[in-house]
């Protein structure tokens, strides 16, 4: 047994010495082998290089992520300083309005969410240097919103939902209600309910839906044009309402002068399918009048459409357009009418009106126009009342435009929420009551040589029974003067409502 153990130990020692000698003879393996079968060729097996590349890539990504965090932090910090700490503006001259004020805190407003919403509106509306920010947006961002048609001088942009004119037998304009700032009647910063037309198929057996106002605006030839959406039967309602006045007033003269907008005269032929015909609806109104004298403002304005009778940047007409319409009315009423040379002409440059406010179009902003109005040279006495015909105050026929922003020049004619009485030197015993929308404001100075007394009343802001008022001021003539959007739009109901107050 001992002999066997000895032999086993000897064998192990031999194997161990053999391994040592074998290691001495055979070299360690290397990773890089040079001088292969091709001269001057190296074969690299980049085991460590792959790992190093991953580490470098990870380092780069971490650096980019850190840079992004620093950049976004700087942007948010800078934005916070700009929005929260820099002085906040209080008035927007280009929009003719006061900006949002900081809301007052109360537990009720906080719980309802009104307070936090008011905070958001305040910071959004009063941001520092907002005019230049709006200019940048108008030049570079807003143009992406409008649908563009064509290029160059013939190109146009459409703002709004848009519609394509179709025949009444195959289409109808429906009117989902939306709340917007009044874009079609008044420059005053009040809210009204208007409607956005949508063109849909009309089965012949269904009654045509009533069309309302459209907020679609076409920008073409450096001019904004409000697109007329059609009356769709409401022209008959307007005529019936005016007929009610004539029936109630008996022998008094009642006139209807529905005023066209720029939609009738300045849409190029290639875009004519974007609006309906105001003239067709005017003809339907005239055919439905009973005892009411129609005044055709359309044709006289069409004859002067190459003159500055409508604003390019505002939804109103220019005072020159009001002059021609008043001239036609005076002719129908058989009263004297002063030539334009008998007025003092006032020109206010740099006018950018409501259509820019509604579209933020760089085309309108960068192409301001002159606002030209006319002051009667003959003296008049003006008294202003509230909408109940109370609280008389002496006033001027026209306001001083000096403190007005360039977007508010149409306000030289005054606001809508009042009743104005003008006593003139025209002693002909003719007393005129005008029921109007904001278009009618520009008519007042043009008729001071035609009637002895004029009462200007806005159909939307009139808190009296209209027939009682007409009789109380001993009116001999009653004129309904408003643009098509009011006559066939939602404002038409005011004409009827004023009969029942």
């Amino acid at each position: 047994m001992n002999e066997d153990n000895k032999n086993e130990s000897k064998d192990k020692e031999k194997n161990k010495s053999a391994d040592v000698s074998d290691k001495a003879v055979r070299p360690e393996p290397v990773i890089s082998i040079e001088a292969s079968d091709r001269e001057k060729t190296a074969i690299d097996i980049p085991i460590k290089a792959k790992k190093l590349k991953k580490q470098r890539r990870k380092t780069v990504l971490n650096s980019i992520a850190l840079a992004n965090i620093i950049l976004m932090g700087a942007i948010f910090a800078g934005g916070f300083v700009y929005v929260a700490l820099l002085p906040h503006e209080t008035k927007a001259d280009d929009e003719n309005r006061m900006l949002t004020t900081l809301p007052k805190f109360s537990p009720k407003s906080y719980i309802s969410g009104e307070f936090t919403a008011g905070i958001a509106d305040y910071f959004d509306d009063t941001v520092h240097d907002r005019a230049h920010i709006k200019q940048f947006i108008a030049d570079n961002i807003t143009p992406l919103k409008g649908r563009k048609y064509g290029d160059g001088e013939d190109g146009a942009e459409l703002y709004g939902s848009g519609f394509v004119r179709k025949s009444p037998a195959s289409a109808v304009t429906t009117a989902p209600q939306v709340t917007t700032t009044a874009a079609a009647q008044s420059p005053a910063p009040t809210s009204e309910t208007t409607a956005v037309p949508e063109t849909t198929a009309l089965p012949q057996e269904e009654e045509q839906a009533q069309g309302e106002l459209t907020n679609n605006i076409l920008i073409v030839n450096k001019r904004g044009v409000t697109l007329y959406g059609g009356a769709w039967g409401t022209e008959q309602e307007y005529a019936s309402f005016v007929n009610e006045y004539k029936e109630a007033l008996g022998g008094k003269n009642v006139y209807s002068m529905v005023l066209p907008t720029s939609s009738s005269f300045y849409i190029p032929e290639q875009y004519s399918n974007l609006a309906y015909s105001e003239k067709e609806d005017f003809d339907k109104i005239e055919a439905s009048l009973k005892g009411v004298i129609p005044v055709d403002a359309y044709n006289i304005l069409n004859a002067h459409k190459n003159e500055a009778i409508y604003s390019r940047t505002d939804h109103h007409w220019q005072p020159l357009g009001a002059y021609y319409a008043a001239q036609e009315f005076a002719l129908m009423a058989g009263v004297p009418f002063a030539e334009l040379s008998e007025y003092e002409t006032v020109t206010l440059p740099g006018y950018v009106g409501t259509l820019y406010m509604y579209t933020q179009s760089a085309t309108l902003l960068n192409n301001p126009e002159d606002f030209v109005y006319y002051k009667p040279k003959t003296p008049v006495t003006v008294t202003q009342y509230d909408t109940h015909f109370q609280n008389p105050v002496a006033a001027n026929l026209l306001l001083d435009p000096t403190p007005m922003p360039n977007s508010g020049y149409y306000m030289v004619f005054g606001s809508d929420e009042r009743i104005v009485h003008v006593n003139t030197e025209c002693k002909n015993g003719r007393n005129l009551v005008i029921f109007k929308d904001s278009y009618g404001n520009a008519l007042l100075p043009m008729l001071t040589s035609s009637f002895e007394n004029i009462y200007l009343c806005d159909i939307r802001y009139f808190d009296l029974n209209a027939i009682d008022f007409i009789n109380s001021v001993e009116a001999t003539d009653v004129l309904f003067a408003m643009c098509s959007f009011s006559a066939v739009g939602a404002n038409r109901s005011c004409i009827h409502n004023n009969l029942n107050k």
Side-chain angles (χ1 to χ4, degrees), residues 379-381 422-427 447-449 451-454:
V380 295
T381 302
V422 179
N423 179 257
T424 75
E425 292 188 347
C426 177
K427 304 304 179 183
L447 295 171
T448 53
S449 63
F451 292 88
E452 184 169 341
N453 291 284
I454 306 173

Side-chain angles (χ1 to χ4, degrees), residues 220-377:
V220 61
N221 298 327
K222 300 178 181 179
R223 174 188 292 276
V225 180
T226 51
L227 300 177
Y228 179 66
W232 300 97
T234 58
E235 76 282 358
Q236 304 295 332
E237 283 192 17
Y238 166 81
S240 68
F241 295 159
V242 176
N243 289 339
E244 288 182 289
Y245 281 75
K246 176 59 181 176
E247 183 178 354
L249 293 172
K252 297 184 187 296
N253 301 316
V254 179
Y255 307 86
S256 170
M257 184 167 67
V258 182
L259 305 167
T261 66
S262 58
S263 184
S264 284
F265 308 119
Y266 303 109
I267 300 178
E269 182 63 29
Q270 63 266 40
Y271 307 119
S272 60
N273 66 330
L274 296 177
Y276 288 79
S277 170
E278 290 181 308
K279 181 63 166 63
E280 290 179 6
D281 287 338
F282 294 164
D283 291 341
K284 293 176 184 177
I285 289 173
E286 181 175 345
S288 301
L289 296 176
K290 298 177 181 179
V292 177
I293 303 170
V295 180
D296 182 9
Y298 180 91
N299 283 323
I300 192 169
L301 291 171
N302 188 44
H304 295 276
K305 65 181 180 181
N306 292 328
E307 302 174 39
I309 59 173
Y310 285 89
S311 291
R312 291 187 296 100
T313 65
D314 196 280
H315 69 278
H316 293 104
W317 54 2
Q318 284 268 4
L320 183 61
Y323 173 82
Y324 289 126
Q327 184 181 50
E328 184 68 15
F329 167 61
L331 179 65
M332 296 298 297
V335 293
F337 190 75
E339 295 293 330
L340 204 56
S341 59
E342 298 180 38
Y343 290 81
E344 176 189 346
T345 301
V346 181
T347 301
L348 303 175
Y351 181 45
V352 179
T354 56
L355 293 182
Y356 165 68
M357 183 174 71
Y358 301 133
T359 65
Q360 299 292 294
S361 167
T363 300
L364 300 182
L365 181 63
N366 296 330
N367 291 279
E369 59 186 320
D370 289 342
F371 183 83
V372 182
Y373 69 99
Y374 307 93
K375 298 172 64 174
K377 295 179 181 178

Side-chain angles (χ1 to χ4, degrees), residues 397-420:
L397 181 64
L398 297 166
L399 301 181
D400 179 11
T402 303
M404 295 180 183
N406 62 346
S407 61
Y409 289 155
Y410 194 80
M411 294 300 293
V412 297
F413 300 116
S415 64
D416 293 311
E417 299 180 46
R418 59 178 185 158
I419 297 173
V420 181

Side-chain angles (χ1 to χ4, degrees), residues 63-128:
S63 299
I64 293 174
L66 179 61
N68 283 336
I69 293 173
I70 294 173
L71 177 61
M72 295 305 297
I75 291 174
F76 281 116
F80 174 79
V81 171
Y82 189 87
V83 172
L85 303 182
L86 292 182
H88 290 268
E89 299 187 12
T90 58
K91 184 178 181 182
D93 288 339
D94 59 336
E95 298 178 25
N96 192 30
R97 68 179 179 92
M98 300 302 295
L99 299 178
T100 304
T101 57
L102 195 64
K104 293 182 179 180
F105 175 82
S106 70
K108 182 179 179 181
S109 65
Y110 181 79
I111 294 172
S112 67
E114 292 181 6
F115 178 76
T116 52
I119 291 289
D121 290 341
Y122 170 74
F123 283 104
D124 179 63
D125 200 34
T126 62
V127 64
H128 180 73

